[in-house]
Amino acid sequence: EALKNDYAALKMEEETGIKKKMGWTLMNIGVVNNHMANYDEALKNYSAAIKAHREQSDSNGMASAMVNIAAIYRVRGNYPAALKNYYDALKIYEKTGNRNYLANVYTGIATVEWSINNYPEALKNNLKALQLAKEIGAKNLTGTILLNMGGIYNKMGNDSAAIRCFGEAEGIYSSAG
């Protein structure tokens, strides 16, 4: 049903020439396909969304589509393609200055680096994300980053740092209720 409605909206936008929202409609279609594990179709939707956002000079829309593409590549184990898309999005978000999006992209990069056992790079990106998450008061994101860092430290055999991160995350989550 969601896809049917999104495709109807897309058709209407194409027919009327109102292209301002097309990128976001294509993103919605990509999200539905992604949730249904139709990854190839989602990648097509997100790529089309990038093009539509570019035509509308919507940098945040382009970067958002890139992050979604990166996430699919990460799930599929195509880590070089995931990193490329995360770094392309990162360049855009650095220009727009959206610290929330920056924190999420750094977290995505760190997750890929962790997946390929590049622990120093994973920690470096998690630290950047952590700083931003704390600055903007994103408690859940802060807790998630700390848990990720604890897992990385654990893999590295640094038990004291892992315990410190896990403890700090626990404190954040227990104070959040």
Side-chain angles (χ1 to χ4, degrees):
E1 186 70 26
L3 277 177
K4 180 180 171 186
N5 292 334
D6 284 331
Y7 278 116
L10 184 62
K11 182 178 179 185
M12 186 170 53
E13 291 162 353
E14 289 170 341
E15 289 172 355
T16 61
I18 301 173
K19 296 187 174 192
K20 187 171 180 150
K21 301 284 184 188
M22 276 181 75
W24 292 106
T25 302
L26 287 160
M27 290 278 290
N28 289 341
I29 294 168
V31 167
V32 173
N33 278 311
N34 191 8
H35 285 293
M36 294 173 26
N38 296 332
Y39 298 127
D40 290 334
E41 196 61 32
L43 286 170
K44 289 178 194 171
N45 301 137
Y46 294 143
S47 295
I50 290 172
K51 182 180 179 202
H53 287 305
R54 184 175 289 120
E55 289 172 2
Q56 296 300 310
S57 300
D58 182 354
S59 298
N60 281 326
M62 287 171 38
S64 182
M66 291 169 185
V67 168
N68 287 339
I69 289 170
I72 290 173
Y73 283 132
R74 187 183 76 223
V75 166
R76 288 182 148 187
N78 187 342
Y79 301 123
L83 286 172
K84 180 200 178 303
N85 280 278
Y86 278 131
Y87 279 111
D88 287 348
L90 184 66
K91 288 176 196 169
I92 292 171
Y93 288 141
E94 284 174 338
K95 288 179 186 170
T96 64
N98 188 315
R99 295 184 305 166
N100 183 50
Y101 292 154
L102 278 169
N104 281 298
V105 171
Y106 279 123
T107 302
I109 293 168
T111 301
V112 173
E113 296 292 358
W114 185 6
S115 297
I116 59 176
N117 302 322
N118 189 353
Y119 302 133
E121 199 63 26
L123 286 172
K124 180 179 105 178
N125 283 285
N126 268 319
L127 285 169
K128 289 178 183 179
L130 183 63
Q131 179 182 350
L132 290 164
K134 286 182 175 182
E135 286 174 9
I136 62 176
K139 291 190 182 287
N140 282 337
L141 181 57
T142 300
T144 298
I145 295 165
L146 286 164
L147 288 175
N148 290 344
M149 290 175 65
I152 294 166
Y153 281 125
N154 184 51
K155 285 280 193 182
M156 294 173 70
N158 188 339
D159 294 339
S160 62
I163 291 168
R164 180 180 44 78
C165 289
F166 291 143
E168 194 174 339
E170 181 182 27
I172 289 169
Y173 289 132
S174 63
S175 70

